[in-house]
Amino acid sequence: MGQANSQLTHEELQDYQDLTYFTKKEVLFVHQKFKALAPEKVGHNKNAKLPMAKILLYPELSVNPFGERICRVFSSSQDGDCTFEDFLDMMSVFSEAAPKSVKAEHAFRIFDFDGDDMLGVSDLKLLISKLTGENKLGESDLNMLVQNILEEADLDDDGALSFAEFEHIIDRSSDFLNSFRIRL
């Protein structure tokens, strides 16, 4: 795992350490994981951009119902394709060292499917459907669950959850930090 075998310069490693929640050794390990997703592409080009299909081969993303959405949120081009820096940012946010506030901000972006900076009824329905498996709940059960969430968490009664309201939910969740994590 030494730098001798790495495509990253000492300066790049230092910058990545400064910009993430990783040590230099962990940055190199993340680079190995990225390279392993498409060695034929990354092996010759440290600036390679991998298609979302390749990123989704990462084991924790392949089984995550939000894998595609996670890729889109972290993709600098927002199409799901990721550079190493996009992948490093993703892995950093999902690391144990990332603060709860950073994780909450990204979770909110992942769950805000329509990008309107609110978790509205359609976002909540999609969120629940992804968590329970598509078409597992009937429409009436889904609507009732969304209404229960809004009754509990929509403090200003505007029919949607703002980031502050979402953060309030996260603060009361004892399992959020454990579930919003990808192990290296």
Side-chain angles (χ1 to χ4, degrees), residues 152-153 155 162-173:
E152 178 72 25
L155 303 176
S162 65
F163 177 68
E165 291 165 328
F166 179 76
E167 207 169 22
H168 183 69
I169 295 169
I170 297 301
D171 287 340
R172 296 186 307 177
S173 171

Side-chain angles (χ1 to χ4, degrees), residues 81-96:
D81 297 352
C82 292
T83 64
F84 170 65
E85 290 182 359
D86 297 335
F87 187 75
L88 182 65
D89 187 33
M90 176 194 314
M91 298 305 279
S92 178
V93 168
F94 279 95
S95 74
E96 282 188 49

Side-chain angles (χ1 to χ4, degrees), residues 100-180:
K100 189 181 216 178
S101 60
V102 171
K103 289 177 177 288
E105 177 187 332
H106 284 82
F108 186 83
R109 288 179 52 210
I110 291 165
F111 301 152
D112 181 16
F113 294 95
D114 60 14
D116 66 353
D117 294 326
M118 299 290 281
L119 298 184
V121 171
S122 64
D123 294 316
L124 293 173
K125 283 183 175 182
L126 196 49
L127 170 63
I128 293 165
S129 292
K130 287 200 173 284
L131 287 172
T132 60
E134 303 291 329
N135 303 318
K136 293 280 181 173
L137 290 177
E139 190 66 26
S140 64
D141 289 337
L142 186 58
N143 287 331
M144 187 172 64
L145 192 50
V146 167
Q147 282 313 116
N148 289 342
I149 291 169
L150 291 173
E151 284 174 20
E152 178 72 25
D154 183 15
L155 303 176
D156 61 6
D157 291 325
D158 66 352
L161 301 180
S162 65
F163 177 68
E165 291 165 328
F166 179 76
E167 207 169 22
H168 183 69
I169 295 169
I170 297 301
D171 287 340
R172 296 186 307 177
S173 171
S174 60
D175 198 40
F176 175 71
L177 289 176
N178 286 332
S179 61
F180 203 80

